[in-house]
Amino acid sequence: MITIPKASNPQDDMADTDLIVRKDRTSLKRVLSKSVLGLISLFMLIPIMIVLLSWTQPMADIWPHMGEYVLPQVLKNTAILLAMVTVISGSVGTSLAWVTSMYRFPGQRFFSWALMLPLAIPAYVFAFVTVGMVDFSGPLQTSLRELGVTTAIPSVRNVWGAGFILSLAFYPYVYLLARQAFLSQGHRAIEAGQMLGLSRSRVFFRLALPQALPWIIGGLLLASMETLADFGAVSVFNVDTFTTAIYKAWFGFFSLTTAAQLAALLIGVVFIVVIFEQYWQARRGSITAQSSNKRLTSNAAAKWGMTLLCSLVFLLAFLVPFLQLLYWTAMNYRQDFDARYIDFVTNSLLIASMTTVLIAFLAIIIAWIKRQYADKSTKLMTTLANLGYVVPGTVLAVGVFIPIAWLDNQLIAFGITTKQVLSGSVIVMLLALSTRFMTVSFQPIDRQLQRLTVNQEAAAELLSSSPLQRWRQVVLPVLSPGVLTALLMGFVEVMKEMPITLMTRRQGWDTLAVRVFEMTSEGMWARAALPSLLIVLVGLIPVWILLRQSEKHS
Amino acid sequence: MSLQALNAPFAVSQPIKATLSVAVVSMMLALVGCNKAETPEQTTQGETPATETETTAAPADSEQVVTIYSSRNEQLIKPLLDKYTEATGVKVELVTDKAGPLMERLKAEGDNTPADMLLTVDAGNLWQAAEQGLLQPVASETLNANVPAKYRDPEGQWTGLSLRARTIMYDPSKVDASELSTYADLADPKWKGKLCLRTSNAVYNQSLIASMIENLGEEKTEQVVRGWVDNLATDVFSNDTSMLEAIAAGQCQVGLSNSYYYGRILDEKPDFPVKIFWANQDTTGTHVNISGAGVVTGSDNPDGALKLMEWLSSDEAQGLYASSDKEYPVKEGIDESEMLRSWGEFKRDDISVQKFGSLQTQAIQLMDKAGYK
């Protein structure tokens, strides 16, 4: 509820002198805002700069080898993976979002939230569960052979298998963001379309889809960046990508320089993509938030078709891997489950919550400043602040660790401290994780902020007495679904994250993901099921919260 | 349009708002709390603290803490370290990660590192750590006596602590042991469509190829690797365990694995239908690699680290490596576990393990060229 303030603000009597004062204030505000943005971007950029600086070092002599024997395969695989994830995640995510938000069909209420659940399963877990299940020696093919079926099922341990699993693991990004768009604007589009006599599919392709595109592309951007940075899943499938090439240069050839140079190339590619995306987004303009509760009607066959589609995706992307984890856990928990798990869970929860809140807070600031000053330098800084997501976790961890350790060593050298206080502290973990996941928060918040129209803002400026009030009464209400999505996605991401946590945690600060690493590093997949299952279960909490929220709106 | 209408569709309900603000505040408090909670602990890390939380009158030795950066699997190494703490009262802190990131961490921390010891698998990794100046030379009578020279760095920067044999595994229902001989023989066309391999990204394969380059020369080794690739029954595996399961399931008939992976499966499934064959017995001997450790250059407690390493080379610890981890003791004359004895004696390749480190780059390049993924 908004109480309309009395228009007694002296500044509202616009005397000429006031105008000058205002102008001064705006320029001051501008400088201030930009410095804040610059500071945040710089903060986020340090680890990436460390990586980029590698190009100032001479090319290692393994470059010709990498160029001839490694990179061609890497580029091919990366292209296939990106294409698969974009097409499959994009179409699956968008169509599921469309049917669950626009139609009533058997199971619609259930699926509208259940289809978010795969978000809680880390891609590396999804990968080892899949390979464990469907490989030649897995239960599926073994029982088929026992039944006398000897037809060879093609191996999944290749780029196609990896692409399929990554698509299933990452479609929820598209689903979540697209659903947010459809829920609030789809009905209007349909009403308008129907009035104009357009068919269903034309309404979707001509009206609803174009309007929801910024959201869908935001989701696809997350999915593709996640694909580019993935190491765990592709190594289970043994597919060479940019990330594995980086690891090969580093762990195999012990040339961190080459590894960093490869990472810098990767960042360069993504930088171009992101710039293009922003340019494209900017041309779309802002979209009004509107909503209605009406649902579309459809015939029975179509309804059951929707149920079937949702069931299939839910089964493949969540239920089957979840049940397999449950089964493995049941078989193995006695060996591993002990009191330490209380620590693992609390540590995971704590670091995920802290990071999530921090990045949501920073993302709001960045998105707001970006909205106020849509010039080139602002856009550039925003882009830079969001690049961390594409840097493979381990490389980013090194980028964070080197400056922090340097700072620590300086503090010790100058006698300010006697030992390291920063390295291995929660602050470093927070910093590294924030750098990595900033964009996960930024995407939904930025998209949501685009819905705040200039008119709304102007009305608010007219009616509210203070900026704070304006924020509370107009901006935050519009922003809150985006913030919630940001919190949910950030939380789940940090829960799942492995390499940064491994590198930056202090002694004894083990999380569930660290446990998964301990087990999978020796190929003990069945024993990795217990911590994996807990990651999924804890990750479901925010999914459930978000669901309750989105139900209130729909 | 009224302001209410603007507000309505996206209003977050009051309870959620409250929850959110409580969440934010508590996170901030938690953050502060964490840092505060750290301070007393952190003071205990460095020099000898005046007051410990555990006020039990322990011997002076127990005040010392040895911090290990380890790339060894925690559940395999922790029981051994716990035994050490039990026996001596010395606390052991364990930080685990992959070897590469741990080395970067050591480099960044320099002289102020909290680590005293680097514990890792594969001679190549240890050699690299020494190359990069992360380890300091130590002179220890005990280590010299317990660990044969070929498993140690000549300058004493690192020491092998357990041995890992990488050899041929086969399906006895389809393959007769008399058909098997050397690693190179697996390149013979008679194995076409019958061979399973783990990825060339695995450091164990890199060291095996390095040893083959040393034994057979580069040209011959490349031919062998090409032959392996031609004989593959299916895409390469991401770990040894899956590869062994594939042999058991009949997807292929022969493969290469470290012996302890096989041993750990046998522990759980005594009827596992795969057999072990010691490769190259008539020629150079079966390829063995090490797991090992070194004292970190910037260590505050190098003596503590060395003592722990000496203990790990003792009869008691060496016996544990064999019985619980199914690895071979690096010390000679240790009573191996029953399972290891059942696999029989075998001739080991005599190459000094430090060769693996220096030949690693060459080995990887060779595998890339030969199309071994």
Side-chain angles (χ1 to χ4, degrees):
Chain A
M1 285 293 289
I2 289 180
T3 48
I4 296 167
K6 288 174 199 110
S8 60
N9 199 326
Q11 274 186 3
D12 285 344
D13 313 307
M14 290 195 203
D16 284 354
T17 45
D18 281 343
L19 258 178
I20 297 160
V21 173
R22 276 195 155 197
K23 214 173 173 184
D24 280 352
R25 279 197 190 153
T26 6
S27 70
L28 184 73
K29 215 174 109 190
R30 191 185 180 86
V31 172
L32 218 69
S33 304
K34 285 209 163 190
S35 334
V36 170
L37 178 63
L39 218 66
I40 297 174
S41 317
L42 190 73
F43 208 52
M44 298 288 154
L45 207 61
I46 291 172
I48 297 169
M49 284 306 291
I50 300 265
V51 174
L52 292 173
L53 275 176
S54 62
W55 275 105
T56 61
Q57 293 177 40
M59 306 263 280
D61 47 7
I62 61 161
W63 258 107
H65 174 81
M66 297 294 279
E68 188 172 355
Y69 296 104
V70 182
L71 282 181
Q73 189 65 40
V74 159
L75 290 172
K76 192 179 144 206
N77 287 343
T78 308
I80 294 176
L81 288 180
L82 275 182
M84 281 182 85
V85 168
T86 309
V87 172
I88 303 178
S89 294
S91 53
V92 169
T94 309
S95 50
L96 290 181
W98 178 249
V99 297
T100 56
S101 57
M102 289 299 127
Y103 291 90
R104 287 237 181 275
F105 57 90
Q108 177 263 329
R109 282 180 73 83
F110 166 77
F111 285 122
S112 60
W113 62 271
L115 288 168
M116 295 177 196
L117 298 183
L119 202 62
I121 304 181
Y124 53 83
V125 171
F126 205 167
F128 77 69
V129 169
T130 307
V131 172
M133 265 190 316
V134 307
D135 213 6
F136 189 87
S137 58
L140 183 76
Q141 293 206 49
T142 306
S143 38
L144 278 177
R145 279 195 300 277
E146 275 163 11
L147 291 170
V149 183
T150 48
T151 327
I153 297 173
S155 162
V156 289
R157 281 175 286 104
N158 51 46
V159 67
W160 308 105
F164 187 68
I165 289 308
L166 290 181
S167 304
L168 279 185
F170 300 148
Y171 88 83
Y173 295 115
V174 180
Y175 173 74
L176 212 62
L177 292 181
R179 201 175 132 79
Q180 211 180 316
F182 288 141
L183 269 180
S184 47
Q185 69 197 189
H187 300 280
R188 284 295 164 113
I190 288 160
E191 280 162 23
Q194 278 170 339
M195 273 191 279
L196 294 167
L198 291 177
S199 72
R200 279 278 157 78
S201 59
R202 284 196 154 199
V203 168
F204 175 75
F205 285 109
R206 288 274 184 80
L207 293 168
L209 192 63
Q211 279 201 62
L213 261 183
W215 277 260
I216 294 168
I217 288 179
L220 281 176
L221 202 65
L222 288 178
S224 21
M225 286 165 99
E226 189 82 54
T227 305
L228 286 174
D230 172 78
F231 176 72
V234 291
S235 41
V236 170
F237 287 95
N238 201 54
V239 174
D240 287 334
T241 63
F242 250 113
T243 329
T244 56
I246 289 167
Y247 277 53
K248 179 175 222 153
W250 183 5
F251 303 152
F253 294 124
F254 286 92
S255 170
L256 188 59
T257 313
T258 312
Q261 285 169 346
L262 281 167
L265 272 185
L266 186 61
I267 295 172
V269 170
V270 175
F271 189 71
I272 295 166
V273 174
V274 175
I275 291 279
F276 178 76
E277 188 261 356
Q278 282 196 349
Y279 168 77
W280 189 84
Q281 293 277 0
R283 293 176 18 147
R284 298 210 59 82
S286 69
I287 293 154
T288 326
Q290 290 160 339
S291 148
S292 97
N293 285 323
K294 266 196 292 180
R295 295 247 164 201
L296 294 174
T297 50
S298 53
N299 62 34
K303 278 182 184 172
W304 284 106
M306 292 170 196
T307 311
L308 193 72
L309 173 73
C310 292
S311 313
L312 190 72
V313 176
F314 178 70
L315 202 74
L316 286 179
F318 186 79
L319 198 61
V320 172
F322 184 79
L323 289 177
Q324 179 67 52
L325 283 179
L326 211 59
Y327 172 74
W328 273 339
T329 306
M331 303 298 285
N332 289 288
Y333 78 97
R334 277 183 207 88
Q335 284 184 70
D336 300 308
F337 192 66
D338 53 37
R340 290 186 306 163
Y341 268 87
I342 297 172
D343 279 344
F344 302 150
V345 173
T346 23
N347 288 343
S348 298
L349 273 172
L350 208 62
I351 194 69
S353 318
M354 290 192 297
T355 312
T356 306
V357 172
L358 179 67
I359 54 176
F361 182 69
L362 293 176
I364 293 174
I365 297 179
I366 298 177
W368 182 252
I369 296 175
K370 180 193 157 202
R371 181 191 166 82
Q372 303 302 307
Y373 311 100
D375 54 58
K376 272 193 185 132
S377 66
T378 315
K379 274 186 193 158
L380 183 72
M381 284 193 281
T382 317
T383 309
L384 293 178
N386 278 290
L387 269 183
Y389 200 50
V390 77
V391 188
T394 307
V395 179
L396 190 67
V398 173
V400 172
F401 205 85
I402 289 174
I404 293 286
W406 179 84
L407 202 63
D408 255 341
N409 285 338
Q410 296 305 306
L411 289 177
I412 296 167
F414 286 102
I416 299 165
T417 53
T418 51
K419 67 197 82 59
Q420 273 142 337
V421 287
L422 297 172
S423 334
S425 74
V426 179
I427 293 174
V428 179
M429 271 177 109
L430 267 179
L431 180 67
L433 290 167
S434 308
T435 310
R436 172 107 169 85
F437 294 122
M438 173 57 83
T439 202
V440 175
S441 269
F442 180 77
Q443 296 292 337
I445 288 173
D446 184 47
R447 297 286 179 293
Q448 199 63 40
L449 207 55
Q450 289 177 16
R451 303 191 137 178
L452 189 70
T453 59
V454 181
N455 287 343
Q456 278 172 307
E457 251 190 288
E461 196 151 350
L462 225 78
L463 296 170
S464 308
S465 57
S466 71
L468 198 70
Q469 202 176 4
R470 202 151 70 225
W471 257 83
R472 241 187 32 169
Q473 293 177 336
V474 181
V475 182
L476 275 184
V478 174
L479 210 55
S480 37
V483 174
L484 264 171
T485 311
L487 289 174
L488 156 86
M489 289 171 65
F491 184 90
V492 177
E493 286 292 341
V494 182
M495 283 291 299
K496 299 191 287 189
E497 199 283 334
M498 190 190 279
I500 293 178
T501 313
L502 275 173
M503 178 111 179
T504 56
R505 83 207 137 110
R506 52 181 267 104
Q507 285 111 298
W509 231 85
D510 289 355
T511 64
L512 290 169
V514 173
R515 287 317 292 171
V516 178
F517 165 77
E518 295 291 355
M519 302 297 180
T520 49
S521 64
E522 288 283 283
M524 294 187 271
W525 291 345
R527 285 178 72 185
L530 168 65
S532 306
L533 187 71
L534 287 170
I535 290 179
V536 177
L537 290 177
V538 176
L540 290 184
I541 299 169
V543 176
W544 180 75
I545 295 174
L546 189 88
L547 144 81
R548 286 196 34 184
Q549 268 319 109
S550 67
E551 277 205 334
K552 279 192 188 112
H553 300 312
S554 59
Chain B
M1 196 191 316
S2 74
L3 274 176
Q4 275 98 326
L6 281 179
N7 203 354
F10 286 100
V12 169
S13 66
Q14 221 46 51
I16 289 289
K17 245 185 210 166
T19 323
L20 274 181
S21 23
V22 169
V24 174
V25 172
S26 53
M27 288 321 144
M28 293 306 164
L29 285 177
L31 179 59
V32 175
C34 279
N35 290 332
K36 275 189 184 153
E38 258 164 40
T39 337
E41 268 181 70
Q42 278 196 337
T43 40
T44 65
Q45 266 178 40
E47 325 91 295
T48 46
T51 46
E52 259 273 24
T53 29
E54 296 145 53
T55 41
T56 42
D61 223 16
S62 74
E63 303 278 22
Q64 290 284 9
V65 176
V66 178
T67 301
I68 302 180
Y69 282 6
S70 163
S71 74
R72 290 222 55 184
N73 186 255
E74 195 210 344
Q75 39 298 321
L76 296 178
I77 200 73
K78 192 90 194 319
L80 260 99
L81 301 174
D82 287 345
K83 277 260 157 56
Y84 183 67
T85 305
E86 222 173 86
T88 60
V90 175
K91 259 178 73 180
V92 179
E93 299 255 24
L94 196 60
V95 177
T96 52
D97 201 338
K98 296 193 194 86
L102 285 177
M103 287 184 210
E104 282 318 309
R105 192 166 167 164
L106 282 175
K107 255 191 250 173
E109 287 169 341
D111 280 346
N112 298 310
T113 181
D116 301 306
M117 180 173 157
L118 177 70
L119 187 74
T120 179
V121 293
D122 187 74
N125 280 333
L126 290 163
W127 183 85
Q128 277 293 344
E131 277 288 288
Q132 295 174 24
L134 302 175
L135 302 176
Q136 52 175 288
V138 292
S140 158
E141 298 280 317
T142 317
L143 288 178
N144 291 350
N146 288 347
V147 184
K150 61 184 166 187
Y151 303 130
R152 276 186 282 120
D153 174 45
E155 285 160 38
Q157 299 194 72
W158 47 265
T159 305
L161 293 169
S162 66
L163 295 182
R164 1 191 73 211
R166 190 159 189 81
T167 192
I168 298 172
M169 305 285 168
Y170 66 101
D171 176 351
S173 70
K174 296 186 184 119
V175 176
D176 192 273
S178 64
E179 297 170 66
L180 296 163
S181 56
T182 59
Y183 301 107
D185 176 62
L186 295 179
D188 190 285
K190 73 177 171 190
W191 298 113
K192 190 150 185 87
K194 295 175 181 169
L195 178 69
C196 274
L197 288 177
R198 176 180 179 163
T199 168
S200 67
N201 289 327
V203 73
Y204 305 133
N205 281 334
Q206 295 166 3
S207 286
L208 172 65
I209 298 300
S211 78
M212 287 170 69
I213 293 174
E214 178 69 11
N215 287 331
L216 303 171
E218 191 164 359
E219 204 180 321
K220 173 79 177 125
T221 307
E222 193 178 325
Q223 276 173 24
V224 170
V225 176
R226 283 187 193 280
W228 285 359
V229 174
D230 283 343
N231 286 344
L232 284 181
T234 177
D235 296 320
V236 294
F237 291 83
S238 65
N239 62 73
D240 281 12
T241 311
S242 308
M243 195 233 37
L244 286 165
E245 302 276 4
I247 300 179
Q251 191 171 20
C252 41
Q253 300 177 6
V254 282
L256 293 171
S257 164
N258 282 4
S259 56
Y260 56 86
Y261 288 111
Y262 174 58
R264 287 176 205 156
I265 296 182
L266 281 183
D267 250 359
E268 286 177 24
K269 304 176 196 162
D271 305 329
F272 191 66
V274 172
K275 286 209 151 175
I276 187 167
F277 177 86
W278 296 116
N280 287 28
Q281 290 304 292
D282 297 333
T283 56
T284 49
T286 300
H287 168 73
V288 283
N289 202 333
I290 55 169
S291 85
V295 178
V296 168
T297 308
S299 163
D300 294 333
N301 184 11
D303 294 337
L306 184 59
K307 269 188 201 146
L308 175 51
M309 271 164 61
E310 287 173 346
W311 182 82
L312 287 171
S313 76
S314 72
D315 290 11
E316 187 190 359
Q318 289 290 303
L320 284 170
Y321 271 118
S323 60
S324 60
D325 293 0
K326 319 291 175 214
E327 292 176 86
Y328 284 91
V330 75
K331 188 179 178 193
E332 278 153 18
I334 297 291
D335 186 26
E336 294 167 359
S337 67
E338 201 181 319
M339 184 186 287
L340 298 197
R341 275 199 304 272
S342 75
W343 296 342
E345 287 289 313
F346 63 98
K347 178 175 154 191
R348 294 164 192 184
D349 192 344
D350 256 348
I351 302 175
S352 170
V353 293
Q354 67 157 350
K355 270 276 171 210
F356 307 158
S358 52
L359 287 172
Q360 192 177 6
T361 302
Q362 219 180 322
I364 300 173
Q365 291 187 344
L366 187 150
M367 290 191 281
D368 283 341
K369 275 184 209 159
Y372 179 8
K373 281 217 242 168

